Amino acid sequence: MCGRLFVGFLLLFAVQLIAQVPSRVENTSLKMPASPGIPQYRTADRFPGLRFNKPVALVTAPGQPNSLYIVERSGRILVIPDVGNPQPTLFLDIQSRVFSDFQFGYAEGLASVAFHPNYQQNGLFYVVYTTRLETSQGSGNHNRLSRFSRVAGQAFQADPNSESPMITQKDEGDGHNFNDLFFGNDGFLYVAAGDEGDGGTGDDYQNSQRIDKDFFSAILRIDVDELPTSLAPRPHPAIHGGYRIPSDNPFVGKTDFNGLPIDPSKLRAEF
């Protein structure tokens, strides 16, 4: 009797589960071809004969539509002033400051460049790279966001001595660094920061679960023009300055995250 009751219970439970499974709805909007067809494109060498050393970014600057900047991981930025006559020249060389370990395929190095929206007038641009330093945060790899300026009167030559660090963050891992940056249509600088992990299990240091720790696992949105309507950043040993925080950033004023209270004095409202 008990066995029959148990089997009956399982059958009833199975029926209930089946009843909860949503029925399939026919797709009426996505039209897929019966066969993929032949691709109507081909690849070509845009600049025959030109070779670069581990290029990781191709960027244009405001007011220079015919120019192209090539970021090399080792710490150089080259520029082709006129893509119609592709003759690259050296724009910036900070190889002595950049730490790049290619032997094991790690992601350190110079990662990207972003030009200020008013670059033609102020000559300012921003880079992210990894460096090895000893700071109050510790010794070893650091991720850095810096501002540079162009040589006065020179359209395609940067001043390597003009560097003004803005954030220099100690990195516990080798990978997932400060990797890219862009200016948005709102005029603010957006910086993509990895989770600091080594690429094993992912998020090795739980940075994605915190908004009151360090500058990792986030998109930073900062005001490099330091408008009076923006807010001062909270103190952190990684901060050098040179920016403020837009008042409409999503975590401004937050006192909790993921259901847990946070210390407002440690809030990274740059996120």
Side-chain angles (χ1 to χ4, degrees), residues 196-216:
E196 186 185 24
D198 292 317
T201 59
D203 198 19
D204 299 329
Y205 304 98
Q206 291 78 54
N207 286 303
S208 70
Q209 304 173 38
R210 302 282 296 276
I211 61 171
D212 57 351
K213 189 184 175 188
D214 298 325
F215 295 97
F216 286 109

Side-chain angles (χ1 to χ4, degrees), residues 1-248:
M1 177 63 73
C2 291
R4 289 197 296 271
L5 287 175
F6 180 70
V7 171
F9 172 77
L10 287 179
L11 289 174
L12 178 61
F13 182 68
V15 169
Q16 290 176 337
L17 283 179
I18 292 172
Q20 294 175 11
V21 175
S23 59
R24 288 183 175 271
V25 178
E26 182 181 355
N27 168 58
T28 58
S29 59
L30 182 62
K31 304 298 182 183
M32 297 295 291
S35 60
I38 300 175
Q40 300 299 311
Y41 68 88
R42 63 184 178 87
T43 60
D45 191 339
R46 179 62 180 87
F47 303 116
L50 296 188
R51 295 294 180 266
F52 303 98
N53 180 22
K54 296 180 174 62
V56 291
L58 300 174
V59 182
T60 57
Q64 298 178 350
N66 296 320
S67 303
L68 186 65
Y69 292 82
I70 301 96
V71 178
E72 294 183 337
R73 182 69 83 176
S74 62
R76 298 197 313 169
I77 300 177
L78 303 178
V79 58
I80 299 176
D82 181 4
V83 294
N85 180 29
Q87 300 294 325
T89 62
L90 183 64
F91 176 70
L92 177 70
D93 187 345
I94 55 171
Q95 292 181 94
S96 62
R97 303 168 217 179
V98 172
F99 175 73
S100 296
D101 189 350
F102 300 123
Q103 182 178 359
F104 300 105
Y106 292 143
E108 293 103 332
L110 179 62
S112 193
V113 60
F115 295 89
H116 193 282
N118 294 323
Y119 176 68
Q120 285 303 297
Q121 290 72 40
N122 60 28
L124 299 178
F125 63 96
Y126 302 80
V127 302
V128 284
Y129 66 92
T130 54
T131 185
R132 283 204 160 175
L133 300 169
E134 183 172 349
T135 67
S136 62
Q137 305 165 73
S139 178
N141 280 11
H142 286 67
N143 283 204
R144 172 169 280 180
L145 165 67
S146 281
R147 183 188 69 208
F148 285 85
S149 63
R150 189 179 59 214
V151 173
Q154 300 293 324
F156 301 107
Q157 184 179 349
D159 180 3
N161 298 317
S162 66
E163 181 174 16
S164 179
M166 300 166 67
I167 298 176
T168 304
Q169 172 67 66
K170 174 71 170 62
D171 191 352
E172 299 298 330
D174 296 314
H176 307 181
N177 304 303
F178 288 9
N179 285 313
D180 213 348
L181 68 171
F182 294 90
F183 276 94
N185 292 331
D186 52 14
F188 298 131
L189 182 63
Y190 292 74
V191 182
D195 65 15
E196 186 185 24
D198 292 317
T201 59
D203 198 19
D204 299 329
Y205 304 98
Q206 291 78 54
N207 286 303
S208 70
Q209 304 173 38
R210 302 282 296 276
I211 61 171
D212 57 351
K213 189 184 175 188
D214 298 325
F215 295 97
F216 286 109
S217 195
I219 300 294
L220 312 181
R221 179 179 184 250
I222 60 177
D223 170 18
V224 299
D225 294 321
E226 301 186 85
L227 300 174
T229 53
S230 295
L231 310 172
R234 301 291 187 183
H236 189 285
I239 297 176
H240 300 279
Y243 74 89
R244 291 172 66 85
I245 298 172
S247 59
D248 61 346

